[in-house]
Amino acid sequence: LKYSRQAAEGGEPEGYYQLALLYLYGDGVEQSYPEAVRYLELANTPSAWNALGVIAQQGYRGEADLAAAAEWYRRAAEAGLPVAQCNYAACLFSGSGVAADRGAAMEWFEKAWRNGDSTAGEWLGMIYLKGLGVPVDRGKAQEYLQCSGTELEELARRPVNN
């Protein structure tokens, strides 16, 4: 807490971001979504934008704002943050806050996966395993799932929420 406050007082984006997380989770401070948002906006980094997307999507400040969430994710994704690339792809895939565009979603999932996001590998594995807008391809599904640590048969049993 002390380092985060000092760094934030010094105007360091990482300090603002770390302080925001403390307020977001109530870690050492009283939980406060408005304070978390304030510090995330001051941080103004891809990680902060992704966190703002999560806050908007989950409705931590009231009702969920899916369009705002998708926009925060897009901004962070375009800046190269793999988790945001996956989050934005999920929005595009399901039409959550943006018009559904499975082609663009696949491109973002691929980019996130290549950048090391294992959740994107699970998404791609599910998409190819279930044939969601693509031909069923268990080989491709297995390729993506190997990197994510998810077993093909485990994923095959999961329901599809598209």
Side-chain angles (χ1 to χ4, degrees):
L1 178 61
K2 181 180 175 182
Y3 164 76
S4 296
R5 282 200 193 282
Q6 288 173 342
E9 288 168 3
E12 294 181 33
E14 184 61 22
Y16 288 132
Y17 179 70
Q18 292 302 321
L19 198 52
L21 294 182
L22 296 176
Y23 280 104
L24 185 62
Y25 299 113
D27 186 6
V29 296
E30 186 175 333
Q31 186 178 43
S32 171
Y33 295 125
E35 283 297 293
V37 168
R38 182 169 80 86
Y39 284 114
L40 289 169
E41 288 173 344
L42 288 168
N44 197 31
T45 64
S47 293
W49 303 332
N50 186 69
L52 287 164
V54 171
I55 289 168
Q57 185 176 28
Q58 298 300 320
Y60 290 150
R61 296 183 67 195
E63 289 195 31
D65 185 341
L66 301 180
E71 181 57 27
W72 283 118
Y73 292 147
R74 182 199 58 76
R75 186 174 176 188
E78 288 177 349
L81 187 67
V83 67
Q85 292 169 339
C86 183
N87 288 341
Y88 185 54
C91 290
L92 288 166
F93 191 82
S94 64
S96 179
V98 293
D101 184 340
R102 290 197 169 174
M106 291 296 286
E107 290 174 19
W108 281 109
F109 280 135
E110 287 278 349
K111 188 178 288 193
W113 181 72
R114 284 192 310 273
N115 288 328
D117 187 272
S118 62
T119 302
E122 284 191 25
W123 270 94
L124 288 163
M126 175 70 84
I127 289 166
Y128 281 103
L129 182 65
K130 305 280 186 174
L132 303 174
V134 297
V136 171
D137 188 331
R138 290 180 66 88
K140 272 191 174 182
Q142 183 63 46
E143 176 186 339
Y144 289 117
L145 295 172
Q146 282 177 341
C147 291
S148 72
T150 304
E151 296 294 324
L152 187 66
E153 296 310 316
E154 172 191 338
L155 193 60
R157 290 188 297 272
R158 289 186 192 171
V160 176
N161 296 324
N162 60 346

